[in-house]
Amino acid sequence: AAMEEGEGLLSVDYEVFGKVQGVFFRKYTQGEAKRLGLVGWVQNTSHGTVQGQVQGPTARVRELQDWLRKIGSPQSRISRADFSNEKEIPALEHKDFQILK
């Protein structure tokens, strides 16, 4: 039987565009991911965006995707969030949610 939506583990790459550097976006993303029990990473890019990967239960990953699209850190202004490489995974590939330099 196929797993119900929300039962399996999902891995998604993301990139967030807008005013997202120098506004504690990575710190808030890490905090939100940890609150949701997700693992992965986040980092600034050289072209002014924030990118990373998130893994965890499908329903929780969806919550973080919404957060990355609409909320972000208090000082941020998100113009858009792109998601790619979405796939179901048998097990988590990260131990926690890290901020990469």
Side-chain angles (χ1 to χ4, degrees):
M3 283 193 189
E4 304 253 341
E5 172 90 349
E7 292 299 303
L9 294 174
L10 202 63
S11 176
V12 182
D13 296 346
Y14 60 87
E15 185 167 11
V16 186
F17 298 77
K19 186 189 169 197
V20 293
Q21 288 192 6
V23 292
F24 300 105
F25 198 94
R26 292 173 302 166
K27 184 167 172 268
Y28 275 88
T29 301
Q30 182 188 47
E32 187 68 10
K34 288 192 174 207
R35 187 183 72 77
L36 290 168
L38 299 170
V39 301
W41 54 272
V42 60
Q43 69 180 13
N44 285 338
T45 71
S46 58
H47 50 274
T49 66
V50 168
Q51 70 177 15
Q53 183 178 73
V54 57
Q55 297 184 344
T58 300
R60 300 286 185 161
V61 170
R62 296 282 179 243
E63 282 187 62
L64 190 71
Q65 285 180 295
D66 268 355
W67 186 90
L68 288 167
R69 251 189 220 106
K70 301 171 188 155
I71 301 168
S73 66
Q75 303 295 312
S76 66
R77 283 200 299 277
I78 299 163
S79 55
R80 77 173 201 271
D82 289 352
F83 300 100
S84 59
N85 298 323
E86 182 173 305
K87 58 183 186 286
E88 283 197 6
I89 51 172
L92 299 174
E93 295 161 351
H94 308 283
K95 284 192 179 65
D96 54 16
F97 197 94
Q98 293 185 304
I99 296 173
L100 302 183
K101 291 287 180 260

